[in-house]
Amino acid sequence: MEGVISPYNSIRELQQYASRLVKSEPRAPQVTLSSDVQTFALHGKQLHLPSLRVGLRKLFNNISQLVDEVLLHQDIPIHVPQNHAYDMSNTSRDYSWLDNATFTEKSHPMLEGYLNDLSQRLYWRDQDEKLHFHAASASAVMKKTTQINRGLSILNDMVNSLPARGTEFTDHKIRNSWRRRACYRDQGKLRWVNQYSKKTNGRKMDTFLPILVADELQTLQEKYLLLIRPVEELLAFILWGQEARMLYHEYMYVEMGRRVDSDMFSRHL
């Protein structure tokens, strides 16, 4: 159970953190563990789990404040029905729960705030009243959304159940494309689902490993996906073209027009 200090949760966190540290070690690590299973040391480098939890909470609060800042402190209501119908077996291209219903009263409500606030200098109109975007202002917005995306990636990896390997984690898709999406919302819960294809006795067997998103993180992540990501797509197209827009349309972890790879993610951690 998330949020409960228990031997199982503590050991799971220890295993996850230790795996990050030992990847670069040429020899088996020397690990010592405290009697209360709250502190362990790897070659003398200590990790105190309560401090890790405090750090994750601080990161969550910082990302929440940045989301509010990017939204220009607009109170934009989002309504996702608990009985939201979603076909988990649908593998058609571009399918996602994000496009399966209308969750806001207006389309691109975040962008409306920027268009109504001239001090943001996001756009200008020519003599024919055609709309043009300032590249510098659009880039400044994208730098902030990059910080949000990076923070969410760390929270998704460290907070949620069953962390994935880095190469699988950065491949998480929010919509179907040449690979099946990994983002599912069903019965009020948000999950990342890693799919594995194996061959057993000549038969292809698919295994699905669900990763349950913690409740508070789900609320923050849905606000990002439903309100901020559509505007990111638009600004990515303006700044870097159609290929970058498609990355924002399909993948969860994208920074300044470039998809995050496992090496980049390791440096973030």
Side-chain angles (χ1 to χ4, degrees):
M1 180 180 296
E2 292 294 327
V4 175
I5 298 177
S6 67
Y8 171 79
N9 282 346
S10 295
I11 291 173
R12 179 172 62 83
E13 290 175 327
L14 290 171
Q15 290 174 329
Q16 184 178 11
Y17 186 79
S19 67
R20 305 287 183 197
L21 296 179
V22 302
K23 284 182 178 179
S24 60
E25 295 291 336
R27 297 179 300 276
Q30 297 177 351
V31 179
T32 57
L33 182 63
S34 65
S35 58
D36 60 358
V37 201
Q38 294 298 301
T39 304
F40 83 101
L42 179 69
H43 292 310
K45 300 176 183 177
Q46 287 192 344
L47 171 71
H48 189 49
L49 288 179
S51 298
L52 175 62
R53 297 186 183 104
V54 170
L56 291 173
R57 171 58 63 181
K58 183 177 180 179
L59 175 60
F60 177 87
N61 292 338
N62 289 342
I63 296 303
S64 298
Q65 293 174 6
L66 190 55
V67 167
D68 189 49
E69 180 182 332
V70 168
L71 293 176
L72 300 182
H73 308 288
Q74 300 176 87
D75 184 14
I76 304 174
I78 297 174
H79 176 63
V80 183
Q82 289 294 316
N83 60 349
H84 174 55
Y86 178 63
D87 186 359
M88 298 183 71
S89 65
N90 190 330
T91 59
S92 58
R93 186 175 181 87
D94 215 36
Y95 184 79
S96 170
W97 74 270
L98 296 168
D99 306 312
N100 206 30
T102 301
F103 306 112
T104 57
E105 294 181 358
K106 300 179 180 179
S107 177
H108 294 74
M110 167 185 162
L111 185 60
E112 184 176 355
Y114 282 85
L115 297 182
N116 292 334
D117 187 353
L118 298 180
S119 66
Q120 298 298 322
R121 295 184 53 81
L122 185 62
Y123 75 100
W124 58 280
R125 296 182 185 274
D126 60 19
Q127 294 180 348
D128 298 326
E129 290 298 311
K130 291 183 179 180
L131 198 66
H132 304 270
F133 285 85
H134 289 288
S137 299
S139 181
V141 173
M142 294 297 280
K143 288 180 180 178
K144 292 181 180 180
T145 60
T146 288
Q147 296 180 48
I148 295 172
N149 191 274
R150 183 175 299 179
L152 286 174
S153 71
I154 296 174
L155 291 170
N156 273 321
D157 180 73
M158 297 298 294
V159 175
N160 297 331
S161 62
L162 191 65
R165 292 192 292 265
T167 51
E168 301 161 349
F169 183 79
T170 55
D171 280 342
H172 280 173
K173 284 179 170 285
I174 57 178
R175 290 180 175 85
N176 289 339
S177 60
W178 61 275
R179 286 188 59 186
R180 185 194 294 254
R181 67 202 178 280
C183 186
Y184 295 82
R185 196 187 195 279
D186 186 55
Q187 299 180 5
K189 293 292 184 181
L190 187 66
R191 293 176 175 86
W192 297 102
V193 181
N194 292 329
Q195 179 184 0
Y196 299 86
S197 296
K198 298 183 179 180
K199 291 184 178 180
T200 304
N201 297 328
R203 295 176 56 192
K204 182 179 179 182
M205 306 292 291
D206 284 346
T207 302
F208 295 85
L209 299 180
I211 303 172
L212 180 63
V213 179
D215 290 341
E216 286 184 271
L217 183 54
Q218 172 176 329
T219 301
L220 181 63
Q221 189 163 286
E222 289 180 348
K223 181 182 289 188
Y224 166 74
L225 287 173
L226 294 172
L227 300 179
I228 297 178
R229 179 51 68 91
V231 178
E232 279 189 295
E233 281 189 44
L234 174 63
L235 297 183
F237 176 72
I238 293 170
L239 292 171
W240 303 296
Q242 177 64 10
E243 184 175 348
R245 188 196 77 83
M246 289 306 299
L247 292 178
Y248 282 92
H249 187 69
E250 295 178 356
Y251 287 92
M252 175 64 188
Y253 304 113
V254 190
E255 298 182 358
M256 298 302 289
R258 179 184 175 187
R259 185 165 72 88
V260 177
D261 57 27
S262 57
D263 289 337
M264 291 172 61
F265 180 63
S266 293
R267 289 194 292 270
H268 296 342
L269 287 175

